[in-house]
Protein backbone atom coordinates (compact mmCIF):
# COMPACT_ATOMS: atom_id res chain seq x y z
CA UNK A 1 0.00 0.00 0.00
CA UNK A 2 1.16 3.51 -0.74
CA UNK A 3 0.91 6.47 1.58
CA UNK A 4 -1.86 8.15 -0.43
CA UNK A 5 -4.34 5.36 0.37
CA UNK A 6 -4.28 3.63 -3.01
CA UNK A 7 -3.71 -0.05 -3.64
CA UNK A 8 -2.72 -0.78 -7.23
CA UNK A 9 -5.06 -3.70 -7.98
CA UNK A 10 -8.36 -2.85 -9.68
CA UNK A 11 -10.56 -0.63 -7.51
CA UNK A 12 -8.66 2.10 -5.73
CA UNK A 13 -9.88 4.00 -2.72
CA UNK A 14 -9.20 4.94 0.82
CA UNK A 15 -9.17 2.44 3.66
CA UNK A 16 -11.80 4.24 5.72
CA UNK A 17 -14.59 3.63 3.19
CA UNK A 18 -15.30 7.28 2.36
CA UNK A 19 -16.27 8.01 -1.22
CA UNK A 20 -15.71 11.77 -1.33
CA UNK A 21 -12.02 11.31 -2.11
CA UNK A 22 -10.43 10.69 -5.48
CA UNK A 23 -10.57 7.06 -6.58
CA UNK A 24 -8.12 5.64 -9.08
CA UNK A 25 -8.78 2.90 -11.59
CA UNK A 26 -5.58 1.30 -12.86
CA UNK A 27 -6.18 -0.06 -16.34
CA UNK A 28 -5.07 -3.68 -16.66
CA UNK A 29 -4.75 -5.99 -19.62
CA UNK A 30 -6.85 -8.64 -17.88
CA UNK A 31 -10.07 -6.58 -17.79
CA UNK A 32 -12.04 -5.34 -20.75
CA UNK A 33 -12.97 -1.74 -21.51
CA UNK A 34 -16.55 -2.52 -20.49
CA UNK A 35 -15.49 -3.88 -17.09
CA UNK A 36 -13.40 -0.78 -16.31
CA UNK A 37 -16.25 1.47 -17.52
CA UNK A 38 -18.71 -0.29 -15.25
CA UNK A 39 -16.27 0.07 -12.34
CA UNK A 40 -16.12 3.85 -12.84
CA UNK A 41 -19.89 4.19 -13.23
CA UNK A 42 -20.46 2.18 -10.05
CA UNK A 43 -18.05 4.49 -8.18
CA UNK A 44 -19.96 7.55 -9.38
CA UNK A 45 -23.30 5.95 -8.47
CA UNK A 46 -22.01 5.16 -4.98
CA UNK A 47 -21.25 8.84 -4.44
CA UNK A 48 -17.63 9.27 -5.54
CA UNK A 49 -17.00 12.83 -6.71
CA UNK A 50 -13.74 12.19 -8.58
CA UNK A 51 -12.34 9.21 -10.44
CA UNK A 52 -8.93 8.92 -12.08
CA UNK A 53 -8.20 6.47 -14.88
CA UNK A 54 -4.54 5.55 -15.26
CA UNK A 55 -3.14 3.62 -18.20
CA UNK A 56 0.53 2.70 -18.48
CA UNK A 57 2.41 1.40 -21.51
CA UNK A 58 0.15 -0.53 -23.85
CA UNK A 59 -2.89 0.34 -21.70
CA UNK A 60 -2.76 4.06 -22.63
CA UNK A 61 -5.09 3.46 -25.58
CA UNK A 62 -7.44 1.41 -23.42
CA UNK A 63 -7.62 4.22 -20.84
CA UNK A 64 -8.74 6.64 -23.56
CA UNK A 65 -11.33 4.10 -24.76
CA UNK A 66 -12.62 3.78 -21.19
CA UNK A 67 -12.96 7.56 -20.92
CA UNK A 68 -14.87 7.73 -24.22
CA UNK A 69 -17.16 4.91 -23.09
CA UNK A 70 -17.90 6.68 -19.79
CA UNK A 71 -18.73 9.93 -21.59
CA UNK A 72 -20.97 8.04 -24.04
CA UNK A 73 -22.91 6.50 -21.16
CA UNK A 74 -23.04 9.39 -18.67
CA UNK A 75 -23.01 12.32 -21.08
CA UNK A 76 -23.08 15.64 -19.25
CA UNK A 77 -23.15 13.84 -15.89
CA UNK A 78 -19.36 13.66 -15.94
CA UNK A 79 -16.78 16.32 -16.70
CA UNK A 80 -13.14 16.04 -17.74
CA UNK A 81 -11.13 17.72 -15.00
CA UNK A 82 -7.70 17.22 -16.52
CA UNK A 83 -5.26 14.94 -18.29
CA UNK A 84 -1.67 14.24 -17.32
CA UNK A 85 0.86 12.47 -19.50
CA UNK A 86 4.39 11.48 -18.77
CA UNK A 87 6.67 8.55 -18.15
CA UNK A 88 7.70 6.51 -15.15
CA UNK A 89 10.29 3.84 -14.50
CA UNK A 90 9.07 0.32 -13.74
CA UNK A 91 11.43 -2.65 -13.57
CA UNK A 92 14.28 -0.57 -15.03
CA UNK A 93 12.14 0.36 -18.06
CA UNK A 94 10.66 3.73 -18.86
CA UNK A 95 6.92 3.49 -19.62
CA UNK A 96 4.60 6.24 -20.78
CA UNK A 97 1.37 6.84 -18.88
CA UNK A 98 -1.84 8.82 -19.09
CA UNK A 99 -3.89 9.91 -16.09
CA UNK A 100 -7.43 11.03 -16.92
CA UNK A 101 -9.23 12.91 -14.13
CA UNK A 102 -13.03 12.89 -14.15
CA UNK A 103 -15.48 14.74 -11.92
CA UNK A 104 -19.13 13.97 -11.36
CA UNK A 105 -21.47 16.83 -12.24
CA UNK A 106 -24.59 17.14 -10.09
Amino acid sequence: MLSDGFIFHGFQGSNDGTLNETHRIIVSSTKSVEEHTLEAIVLFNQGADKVEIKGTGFEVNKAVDIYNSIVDRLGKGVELEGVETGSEVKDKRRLSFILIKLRRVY
Side-chain angles (χ1 to χ4, degrees), residues 42-98:
V42 166
L43 282 171
F44 283 129
N45 285 338
Q46 290 177 344
D49 291 327
K50 296 181 181 182
V51 172
E52 295 179 346
I53 303 166
K54 183 174 185 181
T56 306
F58 292 114
E59 279 77 32
V60 168
N61 293 339
K62 190 185 263 189
V64 174
D65 290 340
I66 293 165
Y67 164 73
N68 287 330
S69 181
I70 291 170
V71 170
D72 286 345
R73 292 178 188 223
L74 298 180
K76 296 185 186 270
V78 68
E79 180 178 89
L80 180 63
E81 196 170 69
V83 177
E84 292 180 23
T85 59
S87 63
E88 59 190 18
V89 177
K90 284 188 180 178
D91 299 326
K92 298 182 181 180
R93 293 178 48 208
R94 185 167 299 277
L95 296 173
S96 59
F97 73 87
I98 188 167

Side-chain angles (χ1 to χ4, degrees), residues 16-35:
D16 60 1
T18 59
L19 287 174
N20 56 1
E21 297 177 5
T22 301
H23 296 275
R24 184 173 288 174
I25 297 172
I26 305 298
V27 179
S28 69
S29 59
T30 58
K31 286 187 175 180
S32 67
V33 171
E34 292 80 16
E35 289 173 310

